Amino acid sequence: MIISLVCLALSILSVVLRVLLVHVPQHGLPSAIYTKDWFGDVYAYIGKVDIIHSPTMYTEGVRYYYPAPAIFVYVFLHWFAGPARIFARSCYALVGIALAAIALMCMRMHRALQERGINAKQSFLFLLTALVCSWPVDYALHQGNIEALLWVGVAVALWAYYRRNWWLFAVLIGIFGSAKIYPMLFLALCLRPRKFMPMLLSIAVFAGVTVASLAYLGPNVLEANRRVSEGVHIFGALNLAPAFAWPGAAMFEHSFCGFLHLLLDGHPSILMPILKVYLPTLGVVLMVAFFARVWKMPRANQVLFIALACVSAPTMSLDYTLELLYIPFAWIVLAIAEAAMEGRRIPGATATMACFALVLSPELFIYIGGRDLYGQSKAVVLAVMFFLALRYPFTDGNDAALAGVQHEQKSAPFAVTPLPNASRP
């Protein structure tokens, strides 16, 4: 809490001082957020709903860079605009739905913390501080990015996984993974418990939603697939160019690829060969780490590791994607509270929570060499979090209970012992 509040206070102070002291247009502040209109992503894409089935849908205005199923989110938001096409209502709907979902999750978390021995006042202040200091939520809502809604669906999917409701988990990951792809990485959670049928169901749902969205976009599935794939490919290629593709958003970019751009800025002869092998090399490293160690660790470690991969491995990942980290954040907070109630400590938990505070709080005061480096500073913290996820097991009550059940079953193979508290959220 203290780290988050300090980061927020320093960020506010930094912005105020720059406004007062720097007498140039925009006061030297990044236009990508301080002087840019709110809900830019909604306004950029929602108009495409009116020209679906037209070839210009893919190229008119901002090019369509999303996977095909993402269009359903914009169709949903478009409904709020009504016949008058008042798209401000769509923006307000996105904000209202996102905040309502966050409020519900906070209420559920508040109750869960009290069940684990945290008093109501402490729980309320902790959650209020986390929400007030939440940079990813602020940034997502300012931009009007659909990530503000999609991460909620992934959170519900991971809640189903927490409860070991494999079929609901599979369906939700298939649906929301089809809109942004990276949530499909969470299917790796099915491997160790050998839940192959739910995994296949999720892939089938992913394929079904994708085909349905391509048919909806038109003019036919094959042509829509060609157009969408072309946009996704262009987006990826732009991010692997020697110069950062979106300079106005560079300071809000926390991927490891963006960090390479920063380190090797001005050295394209070195940067380009690295970028060519960036994704396959990082993919192999993450896969080896997962199968060598992570999948044998508690479920909180697995969820944290995969979430970190989702937000740091892409060729570009702006700060609204960090909302995904609230899922392992909540899981580990509950594990810490549960351990405290039982009179034990979780090694590495304090360092991990400090990293969560740094990566989820605003750091608008990081200004070095005339450059804002908010996102790139978070890339360093994300790398530290990978180390912590690999080094320290974050065992919660469910994991301990499951381990006890498995031990008893090995000793007495015909005994079936109920799993205590398996349904506790």
Side-chain angles (χ1 to χ4, degrees):
M1 287 176 61
I2 295 174
I3 293 175
S4 297
L5 289 171
V6 168
C7 287
L8 177 63
L10 289 176
S11 295
I12 294 173
L13 179 62
S14 172
V15 172
V16 170
L17 288 177
R18 288 176 70 174
V19 169
L20 294 176
L21 301 178
V22 181
H23 302 291
V24 298
Q26 302 175 356
H27 309 287
L29 296 169
S31 60
I33 186 168
Y34 298 105
T35 58
K36 182 180 177 181
D37 291 338
W38 283 68
F39 314 123
D41 290 354
V42 172
Y43 286 114
Y45 283 100
I46 199 167
K48 291 184 178 295
V49 176
D50 289 321
I51 54 174
I52 286 175
H53 309 307
S54 167
T56 60
M57 182 267 172
Y58 301 100
T59 56
E60 186 175 298
V62 176
R63 191 180 187 96
Y64 189 78
Y65 290 123
Y66 284 109
I71 195 62
F72 290 140
V73 180
Y74 287 107
V75 170
F76 170 71
L77 293 175
H78 190 277
W79 179 81
F80 291 94
R85 301 294 187 267
I86 304 175
F87 292 135
R89 295 176 182 170
S90 300
C91 301
Y92 302 149
L94 180 143
V95 173
I97 295 168
L99 291 180
I102 290 171
L104 288 173
M105 287 189 283
C106 285
M107 290 170 60
R108 190 66 193 90
M109 186 72 175
H110 181 58
R111 192 174 80 180
L113 285 171
Q114 291 180 77
E115 291 172 352
R116 289 160 175 80
I118 306 298
N119 70 54
K121 183 179 179 180
Q122 288 179 319
S123 173
F124 176 78
L125 290 176
F126 172 77
L127 294 172
L128 180 63
T129 302
L131 184 58
V132 169
C133 297
S134 176
W135 168 250
V137 171
D138 290 343
Y139 187 56
L141 296 180
H142 178 279
Q143 301 300 96
N145 193 272
I146 59 174
E147 199 77 42
L149 301 179
L150 293 178
W151 87 273
V152 175
V154 179
V156 176
L158 269 296
W159 170 81
Y161 166 71
Y162 185 91
R163 299 285 295 267
R164 294 187 172 85
N165 188 334
W166 291 99
W167 299 106
L168 179 59
F169 165 73
V171 170
L172 291 175
I173 288 295
I175 292 172
F176 291 97
S178 67
K180 270 292 183 95
I181 307 300
Y182 64 80
M184 296 300 289
L185 293 177
F186 285 106
L187 289 184
L189 298 171
C190 297
L191 294 175
R192 190 183 180 192
R194 300 178 182 273
K195 298 295 182 179
F196 300 125
M197 291 305 295
M199 181 184 287
L200 291 175
L201 172 63
S202 187
I203 294 170
V205 170
F206 172 93
V209 174
T210 299
V211 171
S213 61
L214 291 171
Y216 180 75
L217 287 172
N220 57 66
V221 171
L222 293 179
E223 178 63 15
N225 182 62
R226 185 183 72 82
R227 293 277 193 167
V228 170
S229 299
E230 187 179 71
V232 172
H233 174 74
I234 290 173
F235 183 80
L238 284 172
N239 298 328
L240 291 174
F244 189 73
W246 320 99
M251 67 290 299
F252 308 114
E253 211 279 326
H254 56 258
S255 75
F256 293 153
C257 186
F259 193 70
L260 288 174
H261 275 286
L262 173 68
L263 290 179
L264 299 173
D265 185 29
H267 302 281
S269 60
I270 302 175
L271 179 62
M272 282 308 296
I274 294 176
L275 292 180
K276 287 181 180 179
V277 299
Y278 167 77
L279 276 178
T281 302
L282 186 57
V284 169
V285 170
L286 293 175
M287 191 177 300
V288 169
F290 183 83
F291 286 107
R293 181 165 177 81
V294 177
W295 80 328
K296 301 174 184 177
M297 299 183 78
R299 296 189 303 160
N301 291 74
Q302 297 179 47
V303 171
L304 175 59
F305 183 88
I306 295 172
L308 288 170
C310 289
V311 302
S312 63
T315 56
M316 188 179 80
S317 187
L318 298 180
D319 282 350
Y320 40 66
T321 65
L322 293 172
E323 289 179 296
L324 197 69
L325 291 182
Y326 281 109
I327 302 170
F329 169 78
W331 196 313
I332 294 172
V333 165
L334 293 180
I336 293 171
E338 197 166 83
M341 186 171 61
E342 297 169 359
R344 59 185 176 87
R345 296 176 62 87
I346 299 178
T350 301
T352 302
M353 295 308 296
C355 287
F356 272 124
L358 289 172
V359 83
L360 297 175
S361 302
E363 293 167 355
L364 310 183
F365 54 89
I366 300 181
Y367 184 76
I368 304 172
R371 300 177 67 172
D372 294 288
L373 300 175
Y374 322 144
Q376 289 79 6
S377 67
K378 293 181 185 296
V380 176
V381 181
L382 292 172
V384 174
M385 293 181 76
F386 266 116
F387 168 78
L388 294 172
L390 289 166
R391 174 67 178 84
Y392 298 103
F394 305 121
T395 305
D396 63 12
N398 283 344
D399 287 305
L402 182 61
V405 170
Q406 292 172 338
H407 176 75
E408 289 183 18
Q409 289 175 339
K410 286 179 181 178
S411 302
F414 299 106
V416 178
T417 307
L419 184 62
N421 299 324
S423 64
R424 188 166 63 180

